[in-house]
Amino acid sequence: MQPHSYTSHFDSYCPVLSTDIRRFRISFEGPAYWPFFVREVDGNYSWMVNRVRSRLGLLLKGRLCAENGYQDFRDRDCRSCPHAESCMYPRAFMPVFENRGKILNISPAFVFRLGREGQPQQGWQGYHLDVNIFGNAEDLVEELVPELCNVISDLSFPAVDSEWWAQNQIDHILPFAAAEPKSILPSGDCSQLDYSSVSTLEACAAAMPGEIQLDASYDIEVRFETPFQVMGEGRNMLRSLSFYELLSRSVTRFRNIQRWYANAEMGRFAPEFWETAKKIESRHCLSRMAASRHSLRQGENIDLTGMIGPARYYSVPGCYLPILYAGSLVHIGSKTSHGLGSFSVQCLK
């Protein structure tokens, strides 16, 4: 692929980034140095973001079932419920897609990401929970986002590893204090709440990298903040991601979201676009992180094990960066709505 062709490649694939996205941030305070990786009662470890998702589902299902006159919501099978078609819970957490007469279970139209804000002050730390909601999902916004404030304020953690908590001066029962949610505009401004505010993956990606030249090349670091689960040949989980794999899995994710939630164009990718991606060199410092979380709805443990850490890619053409920046907003791999596959992208000096 010659340098002069970079811009034309961007023009051909950018339709796949036209999906609508609504972004919100909930800031909250809690004990300093709170670990996002927590131990459960059964001895297994899980991610705090998955605990947020599980608690959100429990509270939302309880409220919606109560509105329909049900009290035994923990044991109620949503698919056989007479209110299933109009209820928000299966729409949010159990979405399906009809393809050629077959009903497929698909990934929910949202992802979560946790982060820290500023430096600890007198034992307290600022945090934030970002939620990104994709495609034609306007009705999800006003249900999910306000409920997340209640979830954060109501989070509880098992009293395990008490010696570890004490050594790190963390009170595992100390409540979090959540502020009102704010909209994240493409400019990054979070000063107000506007449920109707909508952008696109392309606009958000364009605002993230700053002054990126499509015709230039960059060394980049991709840091997986939560484990990714990406399956290779033979259904074996990949222990590393070549640049080609990272790029292709991001494009697959975009196209699935387009197909399920937007019904929009898929973009075109020339063969040399992929051939160049295969030649990009990389260096990985990834490690395997074992985790699981018990699902009350499914009655079984959810495997959250995957690879986590940084990977570096060298001499990456600038035309690939919008895909990676957009990919960081939707996550990649399996169990993205559980918080897996979250990553950040940084251009190195």
Side-chain angles (χ1 to χ4, degrees), residues 65-101:
C65 282
E67 290 175 358
N68 289 317
Y70 299 124
Q71 301 301 321
D72 58 340
F73 66 92
R74 288 176 181 266
D75 300 321
R76 177 160 294 280
D77 179 10
C78 291
R79 298 199 187 281
S80 61
C81 176
H83 300 283
E85 290 188 5
S86 59
C87 182
M88 182 61 62
Y89 181 86
R91 168 80 190 282
F93 294 94
M94 306 163 60
V96 295
F97 179 73
E98 184 175 353
N99 182 35
R100 298 178 181 178

PDB file of all heavy atoms in Angstrom, residues 65-101:
ATOM      1  N   CYS A  65     -40.111  -6.189  37.155  1.00  0.00           N
ATOM      2  CA  CYS A  65     -41.025  -7.273  37.525  1.00  0.00           C
ATOM      3  C   CYS A  65     -42.070  -6.775  38.525  1.00  0.00           C
ATOM      4  O   CYS A  65     -43.236  -7.164  38.464  1.00  0.00           O
ATOM      5  CB  CYS A  65     -40.251  -8.448  38.122  1.00  0.00           C
ATOM      6  SG  CYS A  65     -39.431  -9.487  36.895  1.00  0.00           S
ATOM      7  N   ALA A  66     -41.661  -5.910  39.456  1.00  0.00           N
ATOM      8  CA  ALA A  66     -42.597  -5.368  40.429  1.00  0.00           C
ATOM      9  C   ALA A  66     -43.681  -4.550  39.731  1.00  0.00           C
ATOM     10  O   ALA A  66     -44.858  -4.581  40.116  1.00  0.00           O
ATOM     11  CB  ALA A  66     -41.859  -4.520  41.455  1.00  0.00           C
ATOM     12  N   GLU A  67     -43.281  -3.808  38.684  1.00  0.00           N
ATOM     13  CA  GLU A  67     -44.259  -3.010  37.940  1.00  0.00           C
ATOM     14  C   GLU A  67     -45.293  -3.900  37.253  1.00  0.00           C
ATOM     15  O   GLU A  67     -46.431  -3.486  37.034  1.00  0.00           O
ATOM     16  CB  GLU A  67     -43.537  -2.149  36.903  1.00  0.00           C
ATOM     17  CG  GLU A  67     -42.705  -1.023  37.508  1.00  0.00           C
ATOM     18  CD  GLU A  67     -41.900  -0.260  36.473  1.00  0.00           C
ATOM     19  OE1 GLU A  67     -41.967  -0.643  35.279  1.00  0.00           O
ATOM     20  OE2 GLU A  67     -41.220   0.718  36.837  1.00  0.00           O
ATOM     21  N   ASN A  68     -44.895  -5.132  36.929  1.00  0.00           N
ATOM     22  CA  ASN A  68     -45.813  -6.060  36.277  1.00  0.00           C
ATOM     23  C   ASN A  68     -46.475  -7.017  37.270  1.00  0.00           C
ATOM     24  O   ASN A  68     -47.107  -7.997  36.869  1.00  0.00           O
ATOM     25  CB  ASN A  68     -45.071  -6.880  35.217  1.00  0.00           C
ATOM     26  CG  ASN A  68     -44.693  -6.035  34.006  1.00  0.00           C
ATOM     27  OD1 ASN A  68     -45.498  -5.237  33.529  1.00  0.00           O
ATOM     28  ND2 ASN A  68     -43.471  -6.201  33.522  1.00  0.00           N
ATOM     29  N   GLY A  69     -46.308  -6.742  38.577  1.00  0.00           N
ATOM     30  CA  GLY A  69     -47.003  -7.530  39.593  1.00  0.00           C
ATOM     31  C   GLY A  69     -46.290  -8.779  40.033  1.00  0.00           C
ATOM     32  O   GLY A  69     -46.890  -9.628  40.718  1.00  0.00           O
ATOM     33  N   TYR A  70     -45.004  -8.950  39.685  1.00  0.00           N
ATOM     34  CA  TYR A  70     -44.264 -10.151  40.079  1.00  0.00           C
ATOM     35  C   TYR A  70     -43.363  -9.844  41.268  1.00  0.00           C
ATOM     36  O   TYR A  70     -42.739  -8.780  41.334  1.00  0.00           O
ATOM     37  CB  TYR A  70     -43.403 -10.669  38.923  1.00  0.00           C
ATOM     38  CG  TYR A  70     -44.184 -11.066  37.697  1.00  0.00           C
ATOM     39  CD1 TYR A  70     -43.904 -10.491  36.463  1.00  0.00           C
ATOM     40  CD2 TYR A  70     -45.209 -12.001  37.766  1.00  0.00           C
ATOM     41  CE1 TYR A  70     -44.622 -10.837  35.323  1.00  0.00           C
ATOM     42  CE2 TYR A  70     -45.928 -12.359  36.646  1.00  0.00           C
ATOM     43  CZ  TYR A  70     -45.629 -11.774  35.426  1.00  0.00           C
ATOM     44  OH  TYR A  70     -46.333 -12.118  34.306  1.00  0.00           O
ATOM     45  N   GLN A  71     -43.251 -10.788  42.176  1.00  0.00           N
ATOM     46  CA  GLN A  71     -42.362 -10.646  43.317  1.00  0.00           C
ATOM     47  C   GLN A  71     -41.193 -11.618  43.256  1.00  0.00           C
ATOM     48  O   GLN A  71     -40.131 -11.361  43.805  1.00  0.00           O
ATOM     49  CB  GLN A  71     -43.152 -10.868  44.623  1.00  0.00           C
ATOM     50  CG  GLN A  71     -44.304  -9.892  44.813  1.00  0.00           C
ATOM     51  CD  GLN A  71     -43.855  -8.442  44.832  1.00  0.00           C
ATOM     52  OE1 GLN A  71     -42.812  -8.124  45.394  1.00  0.00           O
ATOM     53  NE2 GLN A  71     -44.636  -7.552  44.229  1.00  0.00           N
ATOM     54  N   ASP A  72     -41.387 -12.754  42.577  1.00  0.00           N
ATOM     55  CA  ASP A  72     -40.349 -13.795  42.514  1.00  0.00           C
ATOM     56  C   ASP A  72     -39.431 -13.582  41.315  1.00  0.00           C
ATOM     57  O   ASP A  72     -39.171 -14.492  40.536  1.00  0.00           O
ATOM     58  CB  ASP A  72     -40.983 -15.182  42.446  1.00  0.00           C
ATOM     59  CG  ASP A  72     -41.912 -15.349  41.248  1.00  0.00           C
ATOM     60  OD1 ASP A  72     -42.356 -14.310  40.706  1.00  0.00           O
ATOM     61  OD2 ASP A  72     -42.178 -16.500  40.867  1.00  0.00           O
ATOM     62  N   PHE A  73     -38.916 -12.356  41.157  1.00  0.00           N
ATOM     63  CA  PHE A  73     -38.180 -12.012  39.938  1.00  0.00           C
ATOM     64  C   PHE A  73     -36.872 -12.779  39.814  1.00  0.00           C
ATOM     65  O   PHE A  73     -36.374 -12.990  38.715  1.00  0.00           O
ATOM     66  CB  PHE A  73     -37.904 -10.509  39.879  1.00  0.00           C
ATOM     67  CG  PHE A  73     -36.974  -9.998  40.941  1.00  0.00           C
ATOM     68  CD1 PHE A  73     -35.620  -9.920  40.707  1.00  0.00           C
ATOM     69  CD2 PHE A  73     -37.460  -9.609  42.175  1.00  0.00           C
ATOM     70  CE1 PHE A  73     -34.751  -9.458  41.673  1.00  0.00           C
ATOM     71  CE2 PHE A  73     -36.603  -9.139  43.152  1.00  0.00           C
ATOM     72  CZ  PHE A  73     -35.249  -9.068  42.911  1.00  0.00           C
ATOM     73  N   ARG A  74     -36.264 -13.213  40.912  1.00  0.00           N
ATOM     74  CA  ARG A  74     -34.984 -13.921  40.841  1.00  0.00           C
ATOM     75  C   ARG A  74     -35.124 -15.256  40.110  1.00  0.00           C
ATOM     76  O   ARG A  74     -34.190 -15.724  39.463  1.00  0.00           O
ATOM     77  CB  ARG A  74     -34.409 -14.158  42.237  1.00  0.00           C
ATOM     78  CG  ARG A  74     -33.888 -12.895  42.910  1.00  0.00           C
ATOM     79  CD  ARG A  74     -33.415 -13.190  44.321  1.00  0.00           C
ATOM     80  NE  ARG A  74     -32.926 -12.003  45.000  1.00  0.00           N
ATOM     81  CZ  ARG A  74     -31.655 -11.635  45.036  1.00  0.00           C
ATOM     82  NH1 ARG A  74     -30.725 -12.397  44.454  1.00  0.00           N
ATOM     83  NH2 ARG A  74     -31.270 -10.555  45.664  1.00  0.00           N
ATOM     84  N   ASP A  75     -36.285 -15.883  40.238  1.00  0.00           N
ATOM     85  CA  ASP A  75     -36.486 -17.192  39.627  1.00  0.00           C
ATOM     86  C   ASP A  75     -37.330 -17.140  38.360  1.00  0.00           C
ATOM     87  O   ASP A  75     -37.624 -18.169  37.765  1.00  0.00           O
ATOM     88  CB  ASP A  75     -37.159 -18.150  40.633  1.00  0.00           C
ATOM     89  CG  ASP A  75     -36.325 -18.364  41.884  1.00  0.00           C
ATOM     90  OD1 ASP A  75     -35.087 -18.459  41.737  1.00  0.00           O
ATOM     91  OD2 ASP A  75     -36.889 -18.399  42.979  1.00  0.00           O
ATOM     92  N   ARG A  76     -37.705 -15.953  37.952  1.00  0.00           N
ATOM     93  CA  ARG A  76     -38.600 -15.838  36.799  1.00  0.00           C
ATOM     94  C   ARG A  76     -37.816 -15.950  35.494  1.00  0.00           C
ATOM     95  O   ARG A  76     -36.793 -15.304  35.309  1.00  0.00           O
ATOM     96  CB  ARG A  76     -39.360 -14.507  36.849  1.00  0.00           C
ATOM     97  CG  ARG A  76     -40.278 -14.278  35.641  1.00  0.00           C
ATOM     98  CD  ARG A  76     -41.318 -13.251  35.945  1.00  0.00           C
ATOM     99  NE  ARG A  76     -42.223 -13.738  36.971  1.00  0.00           N
ATOM    100  CZ  ARG A  76     -43.236 -14.574  36.720  1.00  0.00           C
ATOM    101  NH1 ARG A  76     -43.455 -14.995  35.489  1.00  0.00           N
ATOM    102  NH2 ARG A  76     -44.013 -14.965  37.691  1.00  0.00           N
ATOM    103  N   ASP A  77     -38.341 -16.781  34.579  1.00  0.00           N
ATOM    104  CA  ASP A  77     -37.748 -16.954  33.254  1.00  0.00           C
ATOM    105  C   ASP A  77     -38.299 -15.872  32.329  1.00  0.00           C
ATOM    106  O   ASP A  77     -39.481 -15.870  31.995  1.00  0.00           O
ATOM    107  CB  ASP A  77     -38.090 -18.344  32.708  1.00  0.00           C
ATOM    108  CG  ASP A  77     -37.512 -18.571  31.315  1.00  0.00           C
ATOM    109  OD1 ASP A  77     -36.696 -17.736  30.876  1.00  0.00           O
ATOM    110  OD2 ASP A  77     -37.888 -19.576  30.678  1.00  0.00           O
ATOM    111  N   CYS A  78     -37.425 -14.961  31.929  1.00  0.00           N
ATOM    112  CA  CYS A  78     -37.881 -13.811  31.127  1.00  0.00           C
ATOM    113  C   CYS A  78     -38.457 -14.239  29.778  1.00  0.00           C
ATOM    114  O   CYS A  78     -39.403 -13.632  29.273  1.00  0.00           O
ATOM    115  CB  CYS A  78     -36.722 -12.836  30.929  1.00  0.00           C
ATOM    116  SG  CYS A  78     -36.227 -11.978  32.440  1.00  0.00           S
ATOM    117  N   ARG A  79     -37.880 -15.254  29.159  1.00  0.00           N
ATOM    118  CA  ARG A  79     -38.305 -15.611  27.795  1.00  0.00           C
ATOM    119  C   ARG A  79     -39.729 -16.160  27.772  1.00  0.00           C
ATOM    120  O   ARG A  79     -40.413 -16.062  26.749  1.00  0.00           O
ATOM    121  CB  ARG A  79     -37.335 -16.619  27.198  1.00  0.00           C
ATOM    122  CG  ARG A  79     -35.910 -16.059  27.066  1.00  0.00           C
ATOM    123  CD  ARG A  79     -35.097 -16.862  26.073  1.00  0.00           C
ATOM    124  NE  ARG A  79     -33.707 -16.455  26.051  1.00  0.00           N
ATOM    125  CZ  ARG A  79     -33.224 -15.394  25.429  1.00  0.00           C
ATOM    126  NH1 ARG A  79     -34.053 -14.612  24.766  1.00  0.00           N
ATOM    127  NH2 ARG A  79     -31.934 -15.105  25.462  1.00  0.00           N
ATOM    128  N   SER A  80     -40.191 -16.741  28.880  1.00  0.00           N
ATOM    129  CA  SER A  80     -41.546 -17.277  28.913  1.00  0.00           C
ATOM    130  C   SER A  80     -42.538 -16.298  29.540  1.00  0.00           C
ATOM    131  O   SER A  80     -43.721 -16.603  29.652  1.00  0.00           O
ATOM    132  CB  SER A  80     -41.569 -18.592  29.703  1.00  0.00           C
ATOM    133  OG  SER A  80     -41.163 -18.378  31.047  1.00  0.00           O
ATOM    134  N   CYS A  81     -42.056 -15.127  29.923  1.00  0.00           N
ATOM    135  CA  CYS A  81     -42.914 -14.136  30.572  1.00  0.00           C
ATOM    136  C   CYS A  81     -43.828 -13.477  29.542  1.00  0.00           C
ATOM    137  O   CYS A  81     -43.383 -13.118  28.446  1.00  0.00           O
ATOM    138  CB  CYS A  81     -42.045 -13.082  31.260  1.00  0.00           C
ATOM    139  SG  CYS A  81     -43.000 -11.740  32.018  1.00  0.00           S
ATOM    140  N   PRO A  82     -45.115 -13.289  29.868  1.00  0.00           N
ATOM    141  CA  PRO A  82     -46.036 -12.643  28.912  1.00  0.00           C
ATOM    142  C   PRO A  82     -45.693 -11.191  28.633  1.00  0.00           C
ATOM    143  O   PRO A  82     -46.167 -10.606  27.652  1.00  0.00           O
ATOM    144  CB  PRO A  82     -47.399 -12.773  29.609  1.00  0.00           C
ATOM    145  CG  PRO A  82     -47.085 -12.955  31.058  1.00  0.00           C
ATOM    146  CD  PRO A  82     -45.805 -13.711  31.112  1.00  0.00           C
ATOM    147  N   HIS A  83     -44.867 -10.579  29.476  1.00  0.00           N
ATOM    148  CA  HIS A  83     -44.483  -9.176  29.277  1.00  0.00           C
ATOM    149  C   HIS A  83     -43.118  -9.040  28.605  1.00  0.00           C
ATOM    150  O   HIS A  83     -42.585  -7.931  28.519  1.00  0.00           O
ATOM    151  CB  HIS A  83     -44.454  -8.443  30.624  1.00  0.00           C
ATOM    152  CG  HIS A  83     -45.765  -8.425  31.346  1.00  0.00           C
ATOM    153  ND1 HIS A  83     -46.807  -7.599  31.002  1.00  0.00           N
ATOM    154  CD2 HIS A  83     -46.210  -9.181  32.396  1.00  0.00           C
ATOM    155  CE1 HIS A  83     -47.832  -7.811  31.812  1.00  0.00           C
ATOM    156  NE2 HIS A  83     -47.491  -8.763  32.659  1.00  0.00           N
ATOM    157  N   ALA A  84     -42.555 -10.144  28.138  1.00  0.00           N
ATOM    158  CA  ALA A  84     -41.180 -10.128  27.635  1.00  0.00           C
ATOM    159  C   ALA A  84     -40.989  -9.156  26.470  1.00  0.00           C
ATOM    160  O   ALA A  84     -39.964  -8.479  26.379  1.00  0.00           O
ATOM    161  CB  ALA A  84     -40.763 -11.533  27.217  1.00  0.00           C
ATOM    162  N   GLU A  85     -41.966  -9.067  25.572  1.00  0.00           N
ATOM    163  CA  GLU A  85     -41.796  -8.233  24.383  1.00  0.00           C
ATOM    164  C   GLU A  85     -41.762  -6.752  24.721  1.00  0.00           C
ATOM    165  O   GLU A  85     -41.111  -5.962  24.020  1.00  0.00           O
ATOM    166  CB  GLU A  85     -42.915  -8.516  23.380  1.00  0.00           C
ATOM    167  CG  GLU A  85     -42.813  -9.896  22.732  1.00  0.00           C
ATOM    168  CD  GLU A  85     -43.812 -10.063  21.604  1.00  0.00           C
ATOM    169  OE1 GLU A  85     -44.505  -9.074  21.274  1.00  0.00           O
ATOM    170  OE2 GLU A  85     -43.904 -11.173  21.061  1.00  0.00           O
ATOM    171  N   SER A  86     -42.432  -6.346  25.782  1.00  0.00           N
ATOM    172  CA  SER A  86     -42.479  -4.928  26.132  1.00  0.00           C
ATOM    173  C   SER A  86     -41.533  -4.571  27.274  1.00  0.00           C
ATOM    174  O   SER A  86     -41.346  -3.389  27.567  1.00  0.00           O
ATOM    175  CB  SER A  86     -43.907  -4.540  26.546  1.00  0.00           C
ATOM    176  OG  SER A  86     -44.332  -5.315  27.659  1.00  0.00           O
ATOM    177  N   CYS A  87     -40.915  -5.571  27.901  1.00  0.00           N
ATOM    178  CA  CYS A  87     -40.071  -5.333  29.072  1.00  0.00           C
ATOM    179  C   CYS A  87     -38.660  -4.904  28.645  1.00  0.00           C
ATOM    180  O   CYS A  87     -38.097  -5.435  27.689  1.00  0.00           O
ATOM    181  CB  CYS A  87     -39.994  -6.594  29.931  1.00  0.00           C
ATOM    182  SG  CYS A  87     -39.018  -6.385  31.441  1.00  0.00           S
ATOM    183  N   MET A  88     -38.088  -3.959  29.390  1.00  0.00           N
ATOM    184  CA  MET A  88     -36.768  -3.447  29.072  1.00  0.00           C
ATOM    185  C   MET A  88     -35.659  -4.440  29.423  1.00  0.00           C
ATOM    186  O   MET A  88     -34.597  -4.441  28.786  1.00  0.00           O
ATOM    187  CB  MET A  88     -36.534  -2.131  29.815  1.00  0.00           C
ATOM    188  CG  MET A  88     -35.206  -1.469  29.540  1.00  0.00           C
ATOM    189  SD  MET A  88     -35.012  -1.042  27.786  1.00  0.00           S
ATOM    190  CE  MET A  88     -36.358   0.119  27.584  1.00  0.00           C
ATOM    191  N   TYR A  89     -35.875  -5.290  30.415  1.00  0.00           N
ATOM    192  CA  TYR A  89     -34.797  -6.162  30.887  1.00  0.00           C
ATOM    193  C   TYR A  89     -34.275  -7.099  29.801  1.00  0.00           C
ATOM    194  O   TYR A  89     -33.072  -7.101  29.519  1.00  0.00           O
ATOM    195  CB  TYR A  89     -35.241  -6.968  32.113  1.00  0.00           C
ATOM    196  CG  TYR A  89     -34.152  -7.860  32.646  1.00  0.00           C
ATOM    197  CD1 TYR A  89     -33.217  -7.373  33.547  1.00  0.00           C
ATOM    198  CD2 TYR A  89     -34.028  -9.179  32.224  1.00  0.00           C
ATOM    199  CE1 TYR A  89     -32.194  -8.174  34.029  1.00  0.00           C
ATOM    200  CE2 TYR A  89     -33.009  -9.987  32.690  1.00  0.00           C
ATOM    201  CZ  TYR A  89     -32.101  -9.478  33.594  1.00  0.00           C
ATOM    202  OH  TYR A  89     -31.089 -10.290  34.051  1.00  0.00           O
ATOM    203  N   PRO A  90     -35.121  -7.926  29.160  1.00  0.00           N
ATOM    204  CA  PRO A  90     -34.580  -8.780  28.089  1.00  0.00           C
ATOM    205  C   PRO A  90     -34.034  -7.983  26.918  1.00  0.00           C
ATOM    206  O   PRO A  90     -33.088  -8.402  26.259  1.00  0.00           O
ATOM    207  CB  PRO A  90     -35.777  -9.657  27.679  1.00  0.00           C
ATOM    208  CG  PRO A  90     -36.979  -8.934  28.172  1.00  0.00           C
ATOM    209  CD  PRO A  90     -36.554  -8.192  29.385  1.00  0.00           C
ATOM    210  N   ARG A  91     -34.613  -6.808  26.660  1.00  0.00           N
ATOM    211  CA  ARG A  91     -34.102  -5.956  25.587  1.00  0.00           C
ATOM    212  C   ARG A  91     -32.661  -5.534  25.888  1.00  0.00           C
ATOM    213  O   ARG A  91     -31.809  -5.494  24.999  1.00  0.00           O
ATOM    214  CB  ARG A  91     -35.007  -4.736  25.445  1.00  0.00           C
ATOM    215  CG  ARG A  91     -34.436  -3.643  24.565  1.00  0.00           C
ATOM    216  CD  ARG A  91     -34.613  -3.944  23.078  1.00  0.00           C
ATOM    217  NE  ARG A  91     -33.859  -3.018  22.279  1.00  0.00           N
ATOM    218  CZ  ARG A  91     -34.222  -1.749  22.012  1.00  0.00           C
ATOM    219  NH1 ARG A  91     -35.338  -1.273  22.527  1.00  0.00           N
ATOM    220  NH2 ARG A  91     -33.481  -0.996  21.245  1.00  0.00           N
ATOM    221  N   ALA A  92     -32.388  -5.210  27.156  1.00  0.00           N
ATOM    222  CA  ALA A  92     -31.066  -4.722  27.526  1.00  0.00           C
ATOM    223  C   ALA A  92     -30.057  -5.844  27.707  1.00  0.00           C
ATOM    224  O   ALA A  92     -28.917  -5.737  27.260  1.00  0.00           O
ATOM    225  CB  ALA A  92     -31.157  -3.890  28.803  1.00  0.00           C
ATOM    226  N   PHE A  93     -30.457  -6.928  28.368  1.00  0.00           N
ATOM    227  CA  PHE A  93     -29.492  -7.939  28.789  1.00  0.00           C
ATOM    228  C   PHE A  93     -29.582  -9.254  28.024  1.00  0.00           C
ATOM    229  O   PHE A  93     -28.673 -10.075  28.110  1.00  0.00           O
ATOM    230  CB  PHE A  93     -29.670  -8.228  30.286  1.00  0.00           C
ATOM    231  CG  PHE A  93     -29.334  -7.075  31.158  1.00  0.00           C
ATOM    232  CD1 PHE A  93     -30.316  -6.194  31.573  1.00  0.00           C
ATOM    233  CD2 PHE A  93     -28.029  -6.828  31.547  1.00  0.00           C
ATOM    234  CE1 PHE A  93     -30.015  -5.102  32.369  1.00  0.00           C
ATOM    235  CE2 PHE A  93     -27.710  -5.743  32.347  1.00  0.00           C
ATOM    236  CZ  PHE A  93     -28.702  -4.883  32.752  1.00  0.00           C
ATOM    237  N   MET A  94     -30.649  -9.466  27.287  1.00  0.00           N
ATOM    238  CA  MET A  94     -30.828 -10.725  26.547  1.00  0.00           C
ATOM    239  C   MET A  94     -31.252 -10.456  25.110  1.00  0.00           C
ATOM    240  O   MET A  94     -32.223 -11.034  24.619  1.00  0.00           O
ATOM    241  CB  MET A  94     -31.872 -11.588  27.258  1.00  0.00           C
ATOM    242  CG  MET A  94     -31.575 -11.840  28.723  1.00  0.00           C
ATOM    243  SD  MET A  94     -33.011 -12.435  29.647  1.00  0.00           S
ATOM    244  CE  MET A  94     -33.380 -13.950  28.758  1.00  0.00           C
ATOM    245  N   PRO A  95     -30.569  -9.564  24.387  1.00  0.00           N
ATOM    246  CA  PRO A  95     -31.007  -9.209  23.029  1.00  0.00           C
ATOM    247  C   PRO A  95     -30.836 -10.376  22.053  1.00  0.00           C
ATOM    248  O   PRO A  95     -29.950 -11.230  22.229  1.00  0.00           O
ATOM    249  CB  PRO A  95     -30.084  -8.048  22.658  1.00  0.00           C
ATOM    250  CG  PRO A  95     -28.839  -8.292  23.448  1.00  0.00           C
ATOM    251  CD  PRO A  95     -29.312  -8.878  24.749  1.00  0.00           C
ATOM    252  N   VAL A  96     -31.692 -10.399  21.055  1.00  0.00           N
ATOM    253  CA  VAL A  96     -31.617 -11.424  20.010  1.00  0.00           C
ATOM    254  C   VAL A  96     -31.670 -10.751  18.656  1.00  0.00           C
ATOM    255  O   VAL A  96     -32.098  -9.593  18.524  1.00  0.00           O
ATOM    256  CB  VAL A  96     -32.765 -12.457  20.141  1.00  0.00           C
ATOM    257  CG1 VAL A  96     -32.638 -13.243  21.442  1.00  0.00           C
ATOM    258  CG2 VAL A  96     -34.122 -11.769  20.069  1.00  0.00           C
ATOM    259  N   PHE A  97     -31.250 -11.488  17.629  1.00  0.00           N
ATOM    260  CA  PHE A  97     -31.228 -10.975  16.264  1.00  0.00           C
ATOM    261  C   PHE A  97     -31.696 -12.087  15.341  1.00  0.00           C
ATOM    262  O   PHE A  97     -31.211 -13.231  15.427  1.00  0.00           O
ATOM    263  CB  PHE A  97     -29.812 -10.539  15.885  1.00  0.00           C
ATOM    264  CG  PHE A  97     -29.678 -10.024  14.486  1.00  0.00           C
ATOM    265  CD1 PHE A  97     -30.177  -8.784  14.131  1.00  0.00           C
ATOM    266  CD2 PHE A  97     -29.042 -10.791  13.511  1.00  0.00           C
ATOM    267  CE1 PHE A  97     -30.050  -8.308  12.832  1.00  0.00           C
ATOM    268  CE2 PHE A  97     -28.907 -10.337  12.219  1.00  0.00           C
ATOM    269  CZ  PHE A  97     -29.411  -9.083  11.868  1.00  0.00           C
ATOM    270  N   GLU A  98     -32.640 -11.761  14.475  1.00  0.00           N
ATOM    271  CA  GLU A  98     -33.162 -12.758  13.532  1.00  0.00           C
ATOM    272  C   GLU A  98     -32.371 -12.698  12.238  1.00  0.00           C
ATOM    273  O   GLU A  98     -32.266 -11.645  11.606  1.00  0.00           O
ATOM    274  CB  GLU A  98     -34.642 -12.521  13.255  1.00  0.00           C
ATOM    275  CG  GLU A  98     -35.245 -13.583  12.349  1.00  0.00           C
ATOM    276  CD  GLU A  98     -36.745 -13.436  12.164  1.00  0.00           C
ATOM    277  OE1 GLU A  98     -37.354 -12.581  12.855  1.00  0.00           O
ATOM    278  OE2 GLU A  98     -37.305 -14.172  11.321  1.00  0.00           O
ATOM    279  N   ASN A  99     -31.804 -13.830  11.840  1.00  0.00           N
ATOM    280  CA  ASN A  99     -31.014 -13.908  10.627  1.00  0.00           C
ATOM    281  C   ASN A  99     -31.403 -15.162   9.852  1.00  0.00           C
ATOM    282  O   ASN A  99     -31.177 -16.288  10.311  1.00  0.00           O
ATOM    283  CB  ASN A  99     -29.517 -13.945  10.973  1.00  0.00           C
ATOM    284  CG  ASN A  99     -28.638 -13.970   9.739  1.00  0.00           C
ATOM    285  OD1 ASN A  99     -28.955 -13.368   8.721  1.00  0.00           O
ATOM    286  ND2 ASN A  99     -27.533 -14.700   9.827  1.00  0.00           N
ATOM    287  N   ARG A 100     -32.006 -14.955   8.694  1.00  0.00           N
ATOM    288  CA  ARG A 100     -32.413 -16.062   7.816  1.00  0.00           C
ATOM    289  C   ARG A 100     -33.276 -17.093   8.546  1.00  0.00           C
ATOM    290  O   ARG A 100     -33.077 -18.292   8.456  1.00  0.00           O
ATOM    291  CB  ARG A 100     -31.184 -16.750   7.221  1.00  0.00           C
ATOM    292  CG  ARG A 100     -30.336 -15.828   6.345  1.00  0.00           C
ATOM    293  CD  ARG A 100     -29.105 -16.531   5.824  1.00  0.00           C
ATOM    294  NE  ARG A 100     -28.290 -15.626   5.008  1.00  0.00           N
ATOM    295  CZ  ARG A 100     -27.128 -15.973   4.445  1.00  0.00           C
ATOM    296  NH1 ARG A 100     -26.651 -17.203   4.636  1.00  0.00           N
ATOM    297  NH2 ARG A 100     -26.455 -15.093   3.735  1.00  0.00           N
ATOM    298  N   GLY A 101     -34.227 -16.569   9.312  1.00  0.00           N
ATOM    299  CA  GLY A 101     -35.161 -17.434  10.006  1.00  0.00           C
ATOM    300  C   GLY A 101     -34.658 -17.997  11.322  1.00  0.00           C
ATOM    301  O   GLY A 101     -35.405 -18.672  12.023  1.00  0.00           O
TER     302      GLY A 101
END
